[in-house]
Amino acid sequence: MSERSERTEDTARLTSAGGRSERPADRYGISRRKTPRWLPYALGVFVIAAGVVVAFLGYRTYGPKDIEPERLGYTVVDDSTVDVDFKVTRQDPGKPIVCYVRALTGDSTEVGRREVLIPASDSGTVRLTTRLRTTERAGAANIYGCSDKVPAYLRAG
């Protein structure tokens, strides 16, 4: 018996009197499953909740900070000295802060670092210039970071 005649017999068995093809129930199931009515709503709530979480984390990570330093420039004075000009904006100007300024070589090796105490003031933004001693000629200088946790050895009194 040829393969074509076997397929014809299978088709004939599956065809009902009305000419429609019927699927074997044990292979394809009796009825088509329907999506639950609540599923689109649940997915919508999930997407909105995920969006709110992502927005919150983004704001917390990239939003405004309590202390924001900005390097305005630097001047290499000689092979062992660099001046760094920077400003610091803080939410609470009545609180002293410390900023860590560093000098780097052309290949980003740190060659100098200094902690700069910025005392409490009336202004939220303070501009400063500080001088760093370096172990070799600096190629760049930047603000490593600032903190309101001032070490005891920097506090007056």
Side-chain angles (χ1 to χ4, degrees), residues 23-130:
R23 296 180 178 171
D26 59 327
R27 179 182 278 177
Y28 298 102
I30 293 175
S31 65
R32 192 174 151 238
R33 289 188 196 178
K34 292 186 177 183
T35 303
R37 287 180 96 94
W38 56 267
L39 185 62
Y41 298 111
L43 288 174
V45 168
F46 176 76
V47 167
I48 290 171
V52 167
V53 168
V54 168
F56 172 75
L57 292 175
Y59 180 79
R60 201 170 114 202
T61 303
Y62 300 110
K65 308 281 189 251
D66 290 340
I67 304 169
E68 292 191 43
E70 180 183 348
R71 184 194 70 184
L72 301 174
Y74 64 91
T75 305
V76 178
V77 178
D78 57 34
D79 286 347
S80 62
T81 310
V82 63
D83 288 339
V84 183
D85 185 23
F86 66 102
K87 72 177 182 176
V88 178
T89 303
R90 53 190 164 174
Q91 296 292 328
D92 185 7
K95 200 173 183 183
I97 61 171
V98 62
C99 288
Y100 303 96
V101 182
R102 64 184 187 161
L104 307 167
T105 61
D107 64 351
S108 298
T109 304
E110 187 174 296
V111 291
R113 178 184 286 231
R114 181 171 184 186
E115 298 167 331
V116 180
L117 175 65
I118 302 171
S121 69
D122 296 332
S123 176
T125 301
V126 178
R127 184 174 178 170
L128 298 159
T129 300
T130 189

